[in-house]
Amino acid sequence: MNNITSALYEAVPFYIAVIPFTILNLYIIKKKRELLNVEYRITEKIFTLGFILSLMFILSITIGNNPPLKFQNVTWQNISVRPFEGVYMQYVLGVNGNIYSIINLFGNILIFAPWGFFLAAYYKENKNEKFKILLIAFLTSFSIETIQLFSGRSADITDIILNTIGVLLGRFVFCYLNIIFNEFFNNMHIRYPNNNNNKVKVFTVVQVISCLIFLVASQS
């Protein structure tokens, strides 16, 4: 439990950096909608905030307390390409009362579930929704594992699999709630239509640059 507390404490600078990043992106999204003359309901604002914070939550736990990235930190010994290697040992430790092993085992799934939920809300009107969510889940987890490798930590294919399962779990929850509250979700649109408005494109570029600066600054 002390390891978890320590990780959360060390990620405090990351949490602080998230605040201006989130405010900037919410402002940019608001301006893009205004330029496209797209209504922005309070429920859509809440889901947009949830979309951003669910990803920030993942990053804070996985890379928010990493040391600076260095190429010399990368070693083949830190790369595990055998699916579910070590999972049984974590299970055994968990059964014997090691709480950290239990949290680590199921945490890789649970921390990605909110991200999957909001991804499903974002892509709910897209015909390739399932494929895009699965692809984003894999790329997000793969990128995190790669960053961890450069920070001296291990990169494990099992984590990628469990993270992807977590995203799919979040999507399942959204789909289930969408059946129950279909009128609520069907009237909510997080995505806005594509447009050739040059001002919108400028805002998008600023948004991408802000994301890159945030990731680089958080790992330096």
Side-chain angles (χ1 to χ4, degrees):
M1 200 68 179
N2 290 334
N3 289 334
I4 299 172
T5 304
S6 176
L8 292 173
Y9 176 77
E10 291 173 2
V12 167
F14 184 92
Y15 303 142
I16 296 174
V18 163
I19 297 174
F21 171 81
T22 302
I23 293 174
L24 173 62
N25 276 273
L26 288 175
Y27 173 78
I28 290 174
I29 293 170
K30 177 176 177 293
K31 295 301 293 183
K32 287 165 75 172
R33 285 194 174 236
E34 289 177 356
L35 289 169
L36 296 174
N37 196 27
V38 177
E39 187 179 2
Y40 203 15
R41 301 185 182 94
I42 184 64
T43 53
E44 294 166 344
K45 292 179 181 179
I46 293 173
F47 265 69
T48 301
L49 179 61
F51 183 91
I52 296 173
L53 292 183
S54 62
L55 179 58
M56 293 300 103
F57 173 68
I58 292 172
L59 296 180
S60 70
I61 293 177
T62 55
I63 64 174
N65 60 344
N66 280 353
L69 305 184
K70 296 179 181 179
F71 283 100
Q72 56 264 38
N73 288 332
V74 181
T75 60
W76 289 109
Q77 289 79 8
N78 289 343
I79 302 176
S80 176
V81 295
R82 294 181 181 179
F84 301 106
E85 183 180 27
V87 169
Y88 178 73
M89 181 58 67
Q90 287 187 335
Y91 169 77
V92 171
L93 291 173
V95 170
N96 290 325
N98 190 319
I99 298 177
Y100 182 75
S101 293
I102 297 175
I103 295 175
N104 187 56
L105 182 61
F106 293 102
N108 280 310
I109 296 175
L110 295 179
I111 65 173
F112 272 75
W115 176 231
F117 178 88
F118 289 106
L119 276 174
Y122 184 83
Y123 283 114
K124 68 183 177 67
E125 297 166 325
N126 192 287
K127 63 179 181 179
N128 297 319
E129 172 253 354
K130 292 180 181 178
F131 172 76
K132 288 187 176 181
I133 290 176
L134 186 63
L135 179 62
I136 291 174
F138 172 80
L139 291 177
T140 302
S141 182
F142 179 82
S143 299
I144 290 172
E145 292 298 307
T146 302
I147 291 174
Q148 288 180 340
L149 188 64
F150 281 89
S151 65
R153 298 169 62 181
S154 61
D156 194 341
I157 192 172
T158 301
D159 289 346
I160 296 177
I161 295 172
L162 294 177
N163 296 161
T164 303
I165 291 174
V167 169
L168 296 179
L169 174 63
R171 179 187 176 275
F172 172 80
V173 172
F174 174 83
C175 292
Y176 179 76
L177 293 178
N178 196 26
I179 294 173
I180 300 176
F181 306 106
N182 63 336
E183 185 175 346
F184 171 77
F185 285 109
N186 288 338
N187 291 328
M188 182 184 63
H189 308 283
I190 300 179
R191 298 183 72 201
Y192 34 80
N194 293 326
N195 192 283
N196 292 323
N197 188 304
N198 289 329
K199 291 184 179 179
V200 172
K201 291 180 179 179
V202 171
F203 273 114
T204 300
V205 171
V206 172
Q207 203 169 6
V208 172
I209 292 174
S210 73
C211 293
L212 293 175
I213 292 175
F214 174 79
L215 286 175
V216 171
S218 65
Q219 297 302 303
S220 60

